Amino acid sequence: MPSEPVFRLPRAVVFAAVCTALAVVGHTTASHASVPAAAVAAGLAGLTVVGVVLAGTERSLGTILAGLLGGQFMLHVLFTAAQHGQHLAHHPAVLASHGTRTMTLAHVTAAAVSAWWLRRGERAVWRLARKVAAAAVRPWRALLTSPVPLPAPYPHPVADTVTGPPEHLLRHILTRRGPPSPFPAFG
């Protein structure tokens, strides 16, 4: 199976959209405040870029979960800074804070559920890609492995049209009829 599927960008967008949507829901639920649209768009764009880089091969559940946890943490920091109108470079305390236990639990739960869901989708996409590749290769494989047809055998003449062998072939053949001689012939 090739390591580059046809749908690399759409897979990355799905990964980023799921991660961002769940982070927004979890963050809004735990903080009781809405997340600014600019922060959501920035998070979606950032995760899409990361997703495009990582979408080259089929990923395991553990790899997807690790990516989502990292994405959830990055989105949490981005959303917290955006909700408080802070710039990350001017307020390093925002980077260190990961909120309350409820906020952490919301992000971890969102990552775990979405990792399970994305892994199922990942398996389905790769299964489909393998089937499409096999279907595309099957005619070529059949063409390359089929035996070359042999030419038709030379047709045998019909019995009533046979006139016998040409005489020049039998000129030096001696045919004796009758029983064998009791004495060997010395010639």
Side-chain angles (χ1 to χ4, degrees):
M1 178 75 202
S3 64
E4 293 292 326
V6 177
F7 301 110
R8 189 173 187 154
L9 181 62
R11 288 175 63 224
V13 170
V14 168
F15 168 80
V18 168
C19 191
T20 304
L22 289 172
V24 167
V25 169
H27 199 85
T28 303
T29 302
S31 68
H32 304 292
S34 64
V35 178
V40 174
L44 181 64
L47 284 178
T48 300
V49 170
V50 171
V52 167
V53 171
L54 296 177
T57 59
E58 184 175 4
R59 301 296 176 184
S60 68
L61 179 62
T63 304
I64 294 171
L65 181 60
L68 286 169
L69 285 172
Q72 290 294 312
F73 178 74
M74 187 265 317
L75 290 172
H76 167 75
V77 171
L78 179 67
F79 294 169
T80 301
Q83 281 178 331
H84 297 296
Q86 302 170 340
H87 296 287
L88 297 177
H90 296 220
H91 296 283
V94 173
L95 287 172
S97 72
H98 196 52
T100 64
R101 286 185 182 180
T102 306
M103 184 74 72
T104 302
L105 183 62
H107 283 293
V108 170
T109 302
V113 169
S114 58
W116 173 80
W117 183 73
L118 284 172
R119 175 60 187 144
R120 290 178 55 124
E122 181 85 351
R123 228 179 324 179
V125 165
W126 281 93
R127 187 178 308 127
L128 178 64
R130 283 189 281 274
K131 285 182 180 181
V132 167
V137 170
R138 193 173 300 124
W140 291 103
R141 186 177 296 145
L143 180 67
L144 294 175
T145 60
S146 66
V148 177
L150 297 175
Y154 183 75
H156 297 291
V158 181
D160 60 339
T161 62
V162 175
T163 59
E167 291 197 293
H168 68 277
L169 293 176
L170 300 177
R171 189 179 337 185
H172 300 290
I173 295 177
L174 178 62
T175 304
R176 295 181 190 224
R177 299 206 177 247
S181 171
F183 301 103
F186 294 103

